[in-house]
Amino acid sequence: MSDSEFPPVEGGGSLLLAWQIRNKTVLVVGGGNVAAGRILGVLNADAKVTVVAPLSGCIPEVKYRISEGQVTHVDRNFLPEDLEGVDMVLTAVDDPVASTEIYTLCKQQRIPVNVADVPPECDFYFGSIHRDGPLQIMVSTNGNGPKLANIIRRQIAEKLPPNLGNAITQVGSLRKKLRQIAPNADQGPKRMDWMSRVCEQWSLEDLCALNEDIMDDLLTYFEANEVPSLAKLTGTDVESLGIFGWFGILASKWHHLVQSLLLSSKD
């Protein structure tokens, strides 16, 4: 058996996960800029958030979250009893001694904890996130270069087609529709194979064009186990149009061009 048959173990990485913390209790210690980012991140994940920090030291964004009732606020510094019933702890305070104390208490109680800007005292790291609806892309440097992670994330986002988040939502709708027309368990492998081929054969730009009508037309090809192109479904494929249909489109475009020139000459 050759070593080249299998991927090598690189080591030194982190296990990147989409951690489901909906309705979990998250404790954020601190009220500054870093804490504000942490608060927004866990609120976006539908967590129940408690912020422990003197109100006088909170920045406007954190005060806004408190005043709007988006978080529960404890107006004082951290106390050990704040850890009761907590599922995750995020600390963002300019006090290394207090941060280490919180970290130690969390380890004793087996509560996952992240101490901002202190990688050795983190059970997990926050990466730089690109968010577009259901699409989330995280770039992590394993705590080595947060600013560089932001730069890389922006470069990745700039290369993505617009409206990609909506395309993912539409693909999810397509999967649900497919399950309705092929609900049996023995059809599962065919469903998965067909959906995989749609995602592989259609470009990201094509998937962004998905709508209810196109989905319904596309699903009519499932029984035959075919995946037509978007051009074929929308009637813009030369082969599906035939020679006369194609010339009809060209003639229509030429007609509109002449009409526009005539109107502009009258002006």
Side-chain angles (χ1 to χ4, degrees):
M1 201 174 285
S2 172
D3 291 342
S4 62
E5 291 182 47
F6 308 105
V9 176
E10 296 184 33
S14 297
L15 181 62
L16 301 184
L17 302 171
W19 197 342
Q20 300 300 304
I21 57 171
R22 177 188 295 271
N23 294 326
K24 299 291 187 181
T25 301
V26 177
L27 176 68
V28 178
V29 182
N33 290 313
V34 175
R38 300 288 195 256
I39 292 168
L40 179 59
V42 290
L43 283 176
N44 283 339
D46 300 322
K48 297 176 180 177
V49 184
T50 296
V51 177
V52 174
L55 185 62
S56 59
C58 292
I59 66 170
E61 181 179 344
V62 175
K63 290 180 178 179
Y64 169 78
R65 306 288 178 203
I66 295 169
S67 65
E68 291 295 306
Q70 297 176 359
V71 301
T72 299
H73 179 229
V74 180
D75 187 7
R76 56 167 170 73
N77 291 319
F78 171 84
L79 292 176
E81 51 262 36
D82 293 328
L83 297 179
E84 185 176 348
V86 169
D87 299 299
M88 176 189 291
V89 174
L90 313 174
T91 76
V93 294
D94 294 324
D95 187 338
V97 175
S99 294
T100 298
E101 178 189 356
I102 296 171
Y103 169 77
T104 302
L105 289 170
C106 288
K107 299 308 291 181
Q108 291 172 353
Q109 301 185 39
R110 297 186 177 181
I111 301 172
V113 58
N114 174 281
V115 178
D117 205 31
V118 187
E121 296 185 351
C122 294
D123 291 316
F124 53 92
Y125 301 126
F126 282 88
S128 182
I129 303 291
H130 170 70
R131 177 77 185 269
D132 182 359
L135 174 64
Q136 292 179 266
I137 299 174
M138 186 179 94
V139 177
S140 173
T141 60
N142 281 317
N144 290 298
K147 182 61 179 179
L148 186 58
N150 282 328
I151 294 171
I152 296 170
R153 184 258 305 164
R154 287 198 300 269
Q155 291 184 3
I156 292 173
E158 288 171 1
K159 291 177 172 58
L160 296 175
N163 210 29
L164 188 55
N166 182 64
I168 294 172
T169 300
Q170 295 294 73
V171 168
S173 297
L174 179 64
R175 290 183 64 197
K176 291 178 182 177
K177 286 175 175 283
L178 177 57
R179 188 173 288 276
Q180 290 172 357
I181 67 172
N184 297 334
D186 60 355
Q187 295 173 298
K190 181 180 177 181
R191 284 198 309 265
M192 289 188 289
D193 175 71
W194 189 80
M195 277 299 310
S196 294
R197 285 159 54 208
V198 170
C199 293
E200 290 169 358
Q201 295 178 29
W202 284 37
S203 69
L204 291 178
E205 289 77 10
D206 287 345
L207 292 172
C208 288
L210 269 176
N211 58 35
E212 291 293 321
D213 291 337
I214 293 174
M215 278 191 275
D216 291 340
D217 289 343
L218 177 58
L219 287 167
T220 63
Y221 288 84
F222 171 74
E223 189 63 34
N225 203 23
E226 297 178 12
V227 178
S229 66
L230 175 64
K232 184 175 181 178
L233 290 178
T234 56
T236 56
D237 182 23
V238 177
E239 293 183 4
S240 66
L241 283 170
I243 187 69
F244 295 107
W246 184 246
F247 274 119
I249 288 180
L250 290 177
S252 175
K253 289 182 178 294
W254 176 254
H255 173 75
H256 286 300
L257 175 60
V258 171
Q259 289 290 98
S260 298
L261 290 173
L262 288 173
L263 289 173
S264 63
S265 66
K266 291 180 180 179
D267 294 339

